[in-house]
């Protein structure tokens, strides 16, 4: 899971405030669209995807949410979603 | 499943099967593991092969859906270039029935003495001091360790095994052809002809194919560059548009998706105790996307080199380099290198230039059709080819 930190630092009289917005992105596999072809597995730079028989898996610990797999999927079965 | 084999083969496609057969015929113990419950299915292939496949295996008529005597290349402006065997020497081919073909190749390996297990998946590599010694295999709810003198990775485009052994097999986004194919029936086609459609609007940085599967039936598919793929412009969108225009009465009876690498082969296709073959080694043709024959040839070669190396007791990377060196010097290896360069040229061509090439080829004397003649004549009618692209000059020598 990847976190993007957006830090705003309004300098006020009382001191320095940090506002932190964390955006979690995650790869979502649309099972009903996936054609289990494995094209995504071949382009994943981190080796986070695996085709287990006809079931595509993603390891959220390894995935860097780069979106390459979602881009090249022939059927559009992969999507990067903002989780929070 | 034994806990130790001379050779363990990951994947039961044409590459794995040819490797298993070569090893078993030499009298060594070997095992093919296939993660799917069935060999050959689901198909992810246009199934076209050149007739040179008969150099690798005795063809059985029941593997063949259609015999191909010629092809049509359709330019972006609709001009048709006919490639017939009278023109192109003996370049004929077949459209296979891979559900049967793949299964029979594995049968040949099994009959030679190779063990085969389906629904058995490698989940990681067993490594010792940087050397590949076997694989962890998940099968029937159990996890087992299988050791081997040499592991042959024949696990296709979605290959993971080599990666677990520390080899980067990532295909660049611009060099994956992302593909969708329908098996269609009720088509008015010539069963002896295959057709290729080119053009930015038809298939950007790729092509649409119609490969005959016999009477009124064909594999109708498309591959486009991963770079050109995005929401609303995915291969399926292009293919559906093509079918609406060209084959409105066809009925779709099967949907397949796939990825084909059009990159250079892996920098090195061996490691200590490991040989990588076929699509897993990125050996599909960068222009046509064809990979069956390359997988079979390298699978067989990998099996033979494995046998020799085990006989001498040296399964190091250095000993296995014989495999890497041999396929690179082979007709296949040289062809891959040349076609990668040609692909790079063709990707840059605008549709108008492609039209102009097809127009000039149509003027050629097809009695003396060969590649060099073709290129020379092309340059005569399209001198900008040489100006634009220096690489083509080298291909003329």
């Amino acid at each position: 899971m990847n976190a993007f930190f957006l830090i705003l630092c309004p300098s006020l009289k009382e001191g320095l405030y940090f506002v932190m917005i964390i955006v979690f992105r995650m790869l979502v596999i649309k099972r009903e669209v996936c054609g289990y072809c494995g094209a995504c597995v071949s382009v994943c730079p981190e080796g986070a995807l695996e085709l287990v028989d006809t079931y595509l898996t993603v390891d959220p610990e390894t995935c860097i949410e780069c979106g390459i797999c979602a881009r090249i999927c022939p059927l559009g079965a992969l999507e990067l979603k903002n989780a929070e | 499943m034994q806990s130790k084999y001379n050779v363990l083969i990951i994947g039961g496609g044409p590459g794995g099967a040819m490797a298993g057969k070569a090893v078993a015929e030499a009298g060594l113990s070997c095992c093919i593991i296939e993660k799917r419950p069935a060999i050959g299915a689901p198909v992810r292939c246009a199934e076209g092969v050149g007739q040179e496949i008969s150099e690798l295996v005795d063809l059985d008529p029941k593997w063949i859906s259609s015999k191909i005597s010629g092809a049509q290349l359709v330019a972006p402006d609709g001009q048709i270039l006919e490639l017939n065997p009278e023109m192109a020497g003996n370049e004929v081919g077949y459209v296979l029935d891979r559900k049967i073909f793949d299964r029979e190749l594995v049968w040949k390996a099994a009959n030679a003495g190779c063990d085969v297990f389906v629904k058995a998946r490698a989940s990681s590599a067993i490594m010792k001091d940087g050397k590949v010694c076997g694989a962890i295999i998940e099968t029937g709810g159990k996890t087992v360790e299988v050791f081997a003198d040499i592991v042959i990775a024949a696990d296709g485009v979605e290959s993971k095994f080599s990666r677990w052994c520390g080899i980067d097999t990532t295909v660049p986004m611009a060099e994956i052809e992302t593909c969708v194919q329908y098996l269609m029936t009720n088509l008015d086609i010539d069963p002896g002809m295959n057709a290729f459609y080119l053009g930015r609007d038809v298939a950007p940085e790729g092509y649409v194919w119609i490969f005959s599967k016999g009477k009124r039936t064909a594999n109708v598919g498309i591959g486009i560059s991963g770079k050109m793929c995005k929401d609303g412009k995915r291969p399926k969108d292009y293919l559906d548009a093509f079918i609406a225009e060209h084959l409105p009465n066809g009925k779709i009876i099967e949907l397949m998706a796939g990825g084909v690498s059009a990159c250079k082969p892996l920098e090195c296709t061996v490691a200590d105790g490991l040989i990588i073959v076929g699509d897993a080694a990125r050996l599909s043709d960068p222009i046509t996307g064809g990979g069956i024959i390359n997988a079979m040839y390298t699978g067989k070669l990998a099996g033979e080199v494995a046998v020799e190396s085990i006989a001498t007791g040296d399964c190091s990377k250095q000993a296995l380099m014989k495999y890497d060196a041999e396929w690179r010097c082979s007709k296949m290896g040289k062809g891959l290198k040349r076609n990668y360069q040609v692909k790079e040229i063709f990707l840059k061509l605008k549709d108008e230039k492609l039209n102009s090439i097809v127009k000039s080829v149509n003027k050629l004397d097809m009695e003396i059709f060969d590649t060099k003649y073709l290129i020379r004549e092309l340059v005569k009618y399209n001198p900008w080819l040489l100006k634009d692209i220096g690489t083509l000059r080298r291909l003329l020598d």
Side-chain angles (χ1 to χ4, degrees), chain B residues 66-71 83-94 190-194:
Chain B
S66 205
K67 286 186 185 171
I68 301 306
S69 55
L83 299 164
N84 290 330
E86 304 88 79
M87 297 176 179
N90 287 315
E91 280 187 358
V92 289
Y94 307 98
D190 176 346
M193 291 285 270
N194 282 348

Side-chain angles (χ1 to χ4, degrees), chain A residues 35-39 41-54 68 70-76 78, chain B residues 35-37 42 44 119 121 157-158 160 163-164 170-171 173 176 178-180 226-227 229 234-236 257-259 282:
Chain A
Y36 33 85
C37 70
V41 181
S42 74
V43 293
C44 177
E46 302 297 316
L49 291 160
E50 191 176 352
L51 193 57
V52 178
D53 188 358
T54 51
I68 295 175
R71 175 88 186 269
I72 67 97
C73 174
L75 300 171
L78 296 163
Chain B
K35 68 182 174 186
R36 301 223 160 80
R44 290 179 305 183
K119 217 154 166 54
R121 179 180 66 94
V157 71
E158 79 262 31
K160 292 289 291 227
R163 202 189 272 271
W164 296 327
T170 311
V171 178
M173 183 172 74
I176 185 86
T178 164
C179 308
V180 169
K227 189 173 81 194
C229 184
R234 295 194 184 271
K236 189 172 181 298
R282 311 306 181 213

Side-chain angles (χ1 to χ4, degrees), chain B residues 292-312:
Chain B
I292 302 170
I293 293 178
N294 298 354
M296 290 172 71
Y297 162 71
T298 50
K300 183 166 181 264
L301 181 63
E304 289 162 0
V305 170
V307 168
E308 281 174 42
S309 303
I310 290 167
T312 58

Side-chain angles (χ1 to χ4, degrees), chain B residues 177-397:
Chain B
E177 285 289 305
T178 164
C179 308
V180 169
Q181 175 176 273
Y182 298 128
L183 175 58
M184 295 186 74
T185 188
N186 200 34
L187 303 175
D188 289 314
I189 51 158
D190 176 346
M193 291 285 270
N194 282 348
F196 302 85
Y197 289 75
L198 302 174
R200 299 267 156 194
D201 298 331
V202 179
E205 304 197 356
Y207 63 89
V208 166
W209 63 83
I210 302 177
F211 282 7
S212 160
K213 289 280 280 177
K215 219 173 152 192
R216 300 185 64 76
T217 306
N219 284 330
V220 182
I222 185 172
I224 67 170
S225 159
K227 189 173 81 194
M228 308 306 284
C229 184
K230 53 185 173 228
D231 273 337
K233 290 197 177 292
R234 295 194 184 271
K236 189 172 181 298
D237 303 315
Y238 284 102
L239 185 60
D240 289 341
F242 176 87
I243 287 168
E245 190 187 339
H246 295 271
L247 307 165
N249 299 322
K251 312 268 190 235
I252 296 166
I253 52 177
E254 198 172 330
L255 161 71
M256 306 155 242
V260 180
S261 64
C263 55
K264 289 178 180 166
L266 294 184
E267 250 168 63
C268 182
T269 56
V270 294
D272 289 326
L274 176 73
I275 307 180
I276 313 164
V277 306
D279 279 9
R282 311 306 181 213
L283 296 179
S284 41
D285 187 286
I287 294 182
T288 64
I292 302 170
I293 293 178
N294 298 354
M296 290 172 71
Y297 162 71
T298 50
K300 183 166 181 264
L301 181 63
E304 289 162 0
V305 170
V307 168
E308 281 174 42
S309 303
I310 290 167
T312 58
D314 182 3
C315 301
S316 66
K317 179 178 177 179
Q318 205 182 356
L320 300 179
M321 272 308 284
K322 184 167 184 265
Y323 160 81
D324 191 271
E326 190 161 335
W327 75 250
R328 277 182 213 273
C329 302
S330 72
K331 197 174 145 206
M332 177 207 84
K334 286 178 184 154
L336 285 178
K337 203 170 173 184
R338 183 193 62 227
N339 286 359
Y340 184 82
Q341 292 173 329
V342 176
K343 179 202 86 167
E344 293 287 285
I345 295 171
F346 271 85
L347 283 189
K348 292 187 194 113
L349 287 183
K350 297 220 165 67
D351 277 359
E352 308 85 71
K353 297 202 165 175
L354 212 55
N355 291 333
S356 144
I357 289 180
V358 170
K359 200 171 172 187
S360 52
V361 174
N362 267 332
K363 284 190 219 150
L364 299 187
D365 177 5
M366 290 302 182
E367 295 292 302
I368 44 168
F369 195 97
D370 74 31
T371 317
K372 269 190 191 167
Y373 166 77
L374 178 72
I375 295 175
R376 228 175 258 133
E377 291 296 301
L378 277 179
V379 171
K380 197 164 91 190
Y381 290 111
N382 308 279
W384 50 267
L385 266 174
L386 273 189
K387 265 186 226 152
D388 281 12
I389 312 130
T391 332
L392 206 62
R393 209 181 283 271
R394 281 208 302 275
L395 300 171
L396 282 173
D397 302 331

